Amino acid sequence: MKKIALVALAAMVLSISGCAKSESNSIKVGGVAPLSGNVAVYGVECKNGIDLAVEEINAAGGINGKTVEFLCEDDEGSPDKTVNAFKKLITKDRVKYVIGSLTSGCTQAITTLAQASKVVQIAPAATAPAITEAGNYIFRACFIDPFQGTVGGKFAYENLNAKKAAVLYDAGNDYSVGLQDNFVATFKALGGEVVAVESYATGDKDFNAQLTKIKNSKPDVVYLPDYYGTVALIAKQLRAQGINTPLIGGDGWDGLTASAGDEVLNGFYSNHYADDSSEAVVQKFVKSFEEKYGKKPNSFAALGYDSMYLLKDAIEKAGAEDSSAVRAALEASDGDYVTGHLTFDERRNPVKSAVMIQLVKDADGKVRTSYKTTVNP
């Protein structure tokens, strides 16, 4: 039944594509993101970045003389709602390109549909390796979990000189599992000892039992590969138990400064860009974003912004709006973006660097992020 449904959906989209003439004065781009729910900060910031890119592109004459129209649907961080949003975009709104969703689970819920329908899908921040395995219409703007886990392991051993590490992760979250797997493998390969590996279930609020075991293992560093809301809870309980070691995580920590205090100091996480970078393309983006939204952009805003510009560059290079031509042009991407110089590998994953961000305290007592170092692929 699943196969029949996919074939039917693909046929419907191809039929729509055949009927839609290129006489329109606009190019529709679909978006799917969690604009509400537990990880809304990811979706809202990503959409802000895309909206800024669209505004700039249209002000500069659009794409091949056509205005860009961005149509974004809220999936609330639910894979089922991601599917419904995607179907609405490609059948009712007739889009040929979709940016989204944000988390790996939601994004993967629509990759097979996108491939079957020949809709170009760009995942701004979904880091699970399997995302692009659905086929050659699926791309991503972010690096993947194995790279993040590797970066974290190398940083712990080489930069923090940690010899013993403990890990606490969500056993039901592919993102969390992927990062911890690769952190452990890298840290061990470098000569480090993993003295404790503890897990919890998605939605848990009390981590004291696991943290007691971690404290007793006397680690030099604790790796916490999860999203900012859960990390904030863990960090409070961890510090309350007297565990004062450095903490390390992945890009899911982005947004932590709004939901945590001193407990996350001496914390570091891998990320896609640093807003205090001296690179001209970064500073231009940060300045424009601050002028529009009154705040600094996080990595999800930067990845959304880059995703829209990647699509724009590919459509212009293709010289056509046909999704197959745009797909081929996107594969050949080679340019400088806010999150780094980007090309795609054979699985349409970007080849680019990662940065390590440190959580520090300002003179006014507020926790903020600060660029620490860059790790190249």
Side-chain angles (χ1 to χ4, degrees):
M1 290 295 294
K2 184 177 180 183
K3 187 181 227 178
I4 293 172
L6 287 174
V7 171
L9 179 61
M12 185 185 303
V13 174
L14 290 174
S15 174
I16 290 170
S17 299
C19 293
K21 305 298 182 184
S22 58
E23 297 163 0
S24 171
N25 290 322
S26 68
I27 294 174
K28 292 182 178 180
V29 177
V32 184
L35 304 179
S36 60
N38 292 334
V39 290
V41 69
Y42 300 159
V44 171
E45 288 301 280
C46 182
K47 182 178 182 298
N48 285 344
I50 296 171
D51 285 342
L52 175 61
V54 169
E55 183 178 289
E56 291 177 353
I57 291 166
N58 286 339
I63 300 176
N64 296 332
K66 292 187 176 183
T67 300
V68 178
E69 184 180 356
F70 181 57
L71 309 171
C72 192
E73 297 290 324
D74 180 12
D75 66 8
E76 301 176 33
S78 164
D80 289 341
K81 292 180 179 178
T82 307
V83 171
N84 292 335
F86 179 82
K87 288 180 178 178
K88 185 259 183 184
L89 285 168
I90 66 172
T91 57
K92 182 179 179 181
D93 298 315
R94 302 181 180 183
V95 303
K96 300 174 184 176
Y97 332 102
V98 171
I99 299 175
S101 186
L102 272 291
T103 61
S104 293
C106 287
T107 302
Q108 196 157 3
I110 57 174
T111 55
T112 303
L113 292 173
Q115 182 67 27
S117 306
K118 295 186 177 181
V119 169
V120 172
Q121 180 186 0
I122 301 177
T127 53
I131 293 297
T132 58
E133 292 176 6
N136 61 354
Y137 279 80
I138 317 302
F139 297 79
R140 78 175 101 218
C142 57
F143 43 65
I144 60 177
D145 289 343
F147 183 50
Q148 283 207 87
T150 298
V151 167
K154 288 183 66 176
F155 180 78
Y157 191 84
E158 296 177 353
N159 294 77
L160 299 183
N161 297 313
K163 303 306 177 188
K164 297 190 296 181
V167 180
L168 179 58
Y169 73 101
D170 183 345
N173 182 322
D174 289 344
Y175 168 81
S176 191
V177 171
L179 263 68
Q180 80 88 21
D181 282 347
N182 288 280
F183 174 89
V184 167
T186 300
F187 193 74
K188 285 182 176 179
L190 290 170
E193 180 186 2
V194 178
V195 293
V197 177
E198 297 293 326
S199 66
Y200 52 88
T202 304
D204 281 357
K205 305 294 183 185
D206 186 348
F207 310 94
N208 281 292
Q210 297 96 321
L211 291 172
T212 297
K213 293 178 182 178
I214 287 174
K215 181 179 180 179
N216 291 336
S217 72
K218 298 180 180 179
D220 299 322
V221 66
V222 179
Y223 191 58
L224 302 174
D226 207 334
Y227 303 130
Y228 66 94
T230 302
V231 171
L233 290 174
I234 293 174
K236 287 180 182 177
Q237 295 174 33
L238 182 147
R239 298 306 192 203
Q241 286 216 24
I243 303 172
N244 298 313
T245 60
L247 309 177
I248 303 178
D251 63 335
W253 282 31
D254 212 15
L256 196 56
T257 54
S259 56
D262 288 2
E263 64 273 10
V264 297
L265 296 177
N266 203 20
F268 307 84
Y269 63 97
S270 52
N271 210 354
H272 306 270
Y273 101 117
D275 61 28
D276 53 351
S277 166
S278 60
E279 293 290 332
V281 65
V282 174
Q283 289 309 303
K284 175 182 177 295
F285 164 67
V286 171
K287 182 173 183 290
S288 298
F289 192 95
E290 284 186 299
E291 288 174 352
K292 183 174 177 63
Y293 299 108
K295 58 183 179 181
K296 286 186 178 295
N298 65 18
S299 67
F300 296 93
L303 288 166
Y305 183 87
D306 279 358
S307 295
M308 187 63 239
Y309 270 102
L310 275 165
L311 183 58
K312 170 213 177 251
D313 292 346
I315 295 173
E316 288 182 341
K317 186 182 296 183
E321 295 167 37
D322 176 71
S323 62
S324 62
V326 173
R327 180 206 62 74
L330 197 55
E331 278 189 337
S333 296
D334 187 349
D336 292 313
Y337 297 90
V338 171
T339 58
H341 185 87
L342 182 149
T343 59
F344 286 108
D345 66 17
E346 67 280 1
R347 293 191 176 183
R348 298 160 306 285
N349 295 316
V351 179
K352 61 180 182 179
S353 60
V355 299
M356 289 301 296
I357 303 293
Q358 182 174 6
L359 292 158
V360 299
K361 184 184 281 190
D362 268 336
D364 60 4
K366 291 183 179 180
V367 177
R368 66 173 178 85
T369 59
S370 176
Y371 168 77
K372 181 66 176 178
T373 190
T374 297
V375 179
N376 292 310

